[in-house]
Amino acid sequence: MPSYKHQRPPEKEAIFLTKALAVISVSSPCADRKFGYKERNFYSFLAIACACYYPCDSDSNLLKQLLSLTNYTFRIVITMLRPRLWTPPHDAAATKRLPALIAQLQTRLQQIVRQHQHIKFASSLAVEDMVITDIIVREQLPIEVFTLNTGALNNETQNLLRAAYEHWGISIAEYRPNEEAIDAYVAAHGKQAFYDSVALRRECCHIRKIEPLGRALSKADAWITGQRREQSTTRTALALAEQDKAHGIAKYNPLADWLETEVWAYAQMQQLPVNELYRQGYPSIGCEPCTRPVKAGEDIRAGRWWWESQDSKECGLHK
């Protein structure tokens, strides 16, 4: 009677398959942070399964050949398979426009100071916010700078607080969410429930951002943001000045009409501290679980809450 015992492929084929799966699991778009944990887990499972299928001891040629895969070859394969990601723009024409834009921004901020007594600037530590912070410090304007530390930020974002202190000598106030509210949300819905629906995602944003913002603005009579019209379809009609009905105070968006190229031209000219994630393909950075890199040519907000439709991509801070 013929034997149907399964025969493993030759060792050479095993090496090829194992390397291929390892490269896919590490270098494919879905293996990058935020490119989809389900797909990443799938490829990781394949790689582990392959390793189990071809067990080897310390004397195995397979093990030795796998370990001999050089960084040079590995990087070439990664470069071939990875998509080209967004990078900070460079525009010589934008640099030429900066003197007029800077003077205009200084005037706008000075007018706000003349009209209000207690002004706060909500910095998300984005590059736009670094531009405004730089003008506030240079002009010595009486504007308090604060940020919302959601408890779910990337380490690279957290590091900017120290970088800001070293660059400007200022301490940016941090407002954090109520831990009891976070625990109650997790107990009721699960730790990653924000992926399940827009409503649950907005509830998470309310706990981590909107409620702390209310505390931050409790004694302010005006606040400033780094929003720009060009950032998303939900901001195309953004006004330079508006009334924040939710908090009953004035709200200003002094960079509303600035272009992305102009923001980066200023940051590069003044050598401002910026988030390291920008160099990893993140044009818009929020909480770590809700942000991913975007491909070159994609909408710059495509990496925020990427599982939702384009018209729902706001956290509720800016209504």
Side-chain angles (χ1 to χ4, degrees), residues 22-281:
V23 169
I24 289 172
S25 67
V26 174
S27 65
S28 67
C30 60
D32 275 314
R33 280 197 298 182
K34 327 302 175 304
F35 261 114
Y37 64 93
K38 291 181 180 178
E39 293 89 343
R40 183 173 65 248
N41 289 344
F42 173 71
Y43 283 118
S44 298
F45 169 77
L46 286 180
I48 293 169
C50 185
C52 293
Y53 192 69
Y54 301 105
C56 49
D57 53 39
S58 59
D59 296 325
S60 169
N61 287 330
L62 171 59
L63 177 61
K64 293 176 182 178
Q65 291 188 53
L66 286 175
L67 293 176
S68 69
L69 183 62
T70 65
N71 285 334
Y72 177 73
T73 305
F74 191 65
R75 288 172 182 171
I76 289 177
V77 176
I78 287 178
T79 302
M80 291 172 61
L81 294 180
R82 270 188 176 164
R84 189 166 62 90
L85 299 178
W86 173 91
T87 56
H90 299 274
D91 183 5
T95 303
K96 294 179 180 179
R97 295 193 295 270
L98 281 182
L101 288 169
I102 293 170
Q104 184 184 62
L105 179 58
Q106 290 170 338
T107 299
R108 288 173 179 175
L109 292 175
Q110 289 164 354
Q111 288 175 344
I112 295 170
V113 168
R114 287 195 292 269
Q115 294 172 14
H116 300 280
Q117 298 298 316
H118 192 183
I119 309 157
K120 289 196 172 185
F121 169 44
S123 170
S124 67
L125 306 176
V127 63
E128 290 87 355
D129 301 316
M130 296 310 194
V131 170
I132 294 176
T133 301
D134 193 61
I135 297 295
I136 289 173
V137 174
R138 286 176 181 273
E139 297 295 309
Q140 299 182 341
L141 299 175
I143 299 173
E144 181 182 336
V145 184
F146 74 92
T147 192
L148 303 178
N149 189 333
T150 66
L153 300 176
N154 292 279
N155 290 333
E156 292 87 347
T157 304
Q158 297 268 21
N159 293 341
L160 281 173
L161 293 170
R162 167 60 61 180
Y165 179 80
E166 293 175 351
H167 186 81
W168 291 297
I170 64 170
S171 294
I172 297 177
E174 296 180 67
Y175 288 82
R176 298 174 180 270
N178 184 297
E179 291 295 334
E180 292 182 358
I182 293 176
D183 292 341
Y185 176 90
V186 172
H189 308 295
K191 189 173 182 180
Q192 295 186 322
F194 44 81
Y195 289 126
D196 295 338
S197 70
V198 174
L200 285 173
R201 194 271 295 166
R202 286 178 174 166
E203 183 179 345
C204 184
C205 288
H206 182 89
I207 294 170
R208 294 183 182 275
K209 294 182 179 182
I210 298 173
E211 190 278 328
L213 177 67
R215 283 188 274 116
L217 299 180
S218 61
K219 296 180 180 180
D221 62 347
W223 68 298
I224 297 170
T225 84
Q227 292 185 101
R228 295 184 299 107
R229 294 168 188 155
E230 190 189 33
Q231 285 174 327
S232 74
T233 56
T234 60
R235 299 180 181 178
T236 54
L238 185 67
L240 287 169
E242 54 186 317
Q243 184 65 22
D244 183 347
K245 296 179 181 179
H247 300 100
I249 61 177
K251 179 180 178 182
Y252 296 91
N253 310 298
L255 292 182
D257 52 357
W258 278 48
L259 302 178
E260 181 186 29
T261 53
E262 295 164 348
V263 171
W264 278 101
Y266 184 95
Q268 291 156 4
M269 180 183 72
Q270 299 296 347
Q271 297 184 324
L272 302 183
V274 296
N275 201 315
E276 286 296 321
L277 292 176
Y278 285 124
R279 296 180 178 87
Q280 299 176 36

